[in-house]
Amino acid sequence: MQQHLVLAIDIGGTKLAVGVVDEEGRVLESRRAPNPNPPTGDGESLLQSLLALVADLRTDRAELVGVGIGCGGPMRWPSGEVSPLNIPSWRDFPLRARLADEFELPVRIHNDAICVAVAEHWRGAGAGVDNVLGMVVSTGVGGGLILGGRLIDGASGNAGHIGHAIVHENEPVCRCGAVGCLEAIASGPNLSGWAHEQGWREGFPRDQRTGHDLVEDARRGDPIALRAMQRAGRALGIGVASATTLCDLEVVAIGGGLSQAGPLLFNPLEASLRERVGLEFARAVRVVPAAFGQESGLVGAAALILHPERYWSAD
Ligand SMILES: [Zn+2]
């Protein structure tokens, strides 16, 4: 029997990834490259970089049944004009339409964090569970919401934006314009910025003060880096508590670079969560590390094509 293979594309501010995913959610081959992030106004060259990466795949295009895309937001959905905050050369760039012209196949697109949540629900830490919040804690804080076994889109395709749930009344200011967002506290750049203000890695160049460095230092027992993990964990616990009570969640799966801190992040998260869930149904929630690593965006993007009954409500 012929395999149903999907071309999956994952576009973030720092990297481009493309791959071929089969019906079981296996990534048969993939290519990754840094996002060249061309200057504003040069969106076309970024598309050409992406297509060059696709051309490098060995799978015959005739074997593909569709193209699934995860891309940084915001975007107009489902029409797929993208304006990723971290990719200034794409503003209202018609990514879905351009790829539909290029491949003459069904093309579906969603926010990259939503694709990560879909991957965890389809084949990862939330498999077999009907009510799941999938989260990414990395350069930003993103998420996707599956309720009753179906991806929830919301009015504009933006449901699940847990990073901009409010976890503090009057600080810090978030890049979205609001105040007290989870992302403004717990994203890698914001957390390492806070740690630096507390005296962490004074004298180090800026590129050696990333979220990744903070995780490494916390593992080594650096006291400020450990406090930073507690700060992020507490904020995440507040956000997860609210989401759990609002949506009656069973599982919250958390991935992304900062989650690599393991118990240094998950323990304060759990403590903060347990202080803030009172109702019996909410106390049953389980917070678990994501099962997928960097392939999750590709797997979830493929699921938009392979399982529309669960993950695609639009045209
Ligand atoms: Zn925000």
Side-chain angles (χ1 to χ4, degrees), residues 29 37 49 60 69 104 133 138 141 153 196 200 213 248 257 262 309:
E29 61 165 334
N37 244 330
S49 301
D60 187 344
I69 313 163
E104 299 183 325
L133 173 66
S138 182
V141 176
D153 297 307
H196 184 62
W200 172 67
D213 299 316
D248 198 356
E309 77 286 359

Side-chain angles (χ1 to χ4, degrees), residues 163-164 174-178 181 183:
H164 302 275
C174 180
R175 64 178 176 165
C176 77
C181 293
E183 177 172 296

Side-chain angles (χ1 to χ4, degrees), residues 33-173:
N35 186 331
N37 244 330
T40 306
D42 194 12
E44 200 58 36
S45 77
L46 178 54
L47 180 68
Q48 294 311 317
S49 301
L50 186 68
L51 292 176
L53 214 53
V54 173
D56 199 35
L57 293 167
R58 294 187 308 271
T59 305
D60 187 344
R61 279 193 185 191
E63 293 183 68
L64 300 172
V65 298
V67 181
I69 313 163
C71 184
M75 70 178 73
R76 278 202 207 101
W77 186 89
S79 56
E81 291 91 15
V82 302
S83 308
L85 288 180
N86 294 325
I87 308 178
S89 60
W90 277 358
R91 287 294 172 267
D92 285 324
F93 187 82
L95 184 60
R96 187 180 180 201
R98 291 297 303 275
L99 292 180
D101 287 347
E102 172 72 25
F103 293 99
E104 299 183 325
L105 288 169
V107 176
R108 294 177 185 151
I109 186 168
H110 235 315
N111 181 288
D112 53 354
I114 287 178
C115 289
V116 168
V118 164
E120 291 298 326
H121 181 250
W122 181 30
R123 289 287 177 198
V129 179
D130 278 345
N131 301 288
V132 177
L133 173 66
M135 292 180 66
V136 184
V137 186
S138 182
T139 317
V141 176
L145 195 55
I146 286 103
L147 297 179
R150 286 201 56 110
L151 175 64
I152 301 300
D153 297 307
S156 65
N158 282 294
H161 259 73
I162 183 80
H164 302 275
I166 306 302
V167 297
H168 197 283
E169 188 180 8
N170 45 26
E171 63 172 10
V173 175

Side-chain angles (χ1 to χ4, degrees), residues 23-42:
E23 288 165 321
E24 305 297 318
R26 289 178 294 229
V27 180
L28 303 184
E29 61 165 334
S30 63
R31 299 286 183 277
R32 301 176 72 83
N35 186 331
N37 244 330
T40 306
D42 194 12

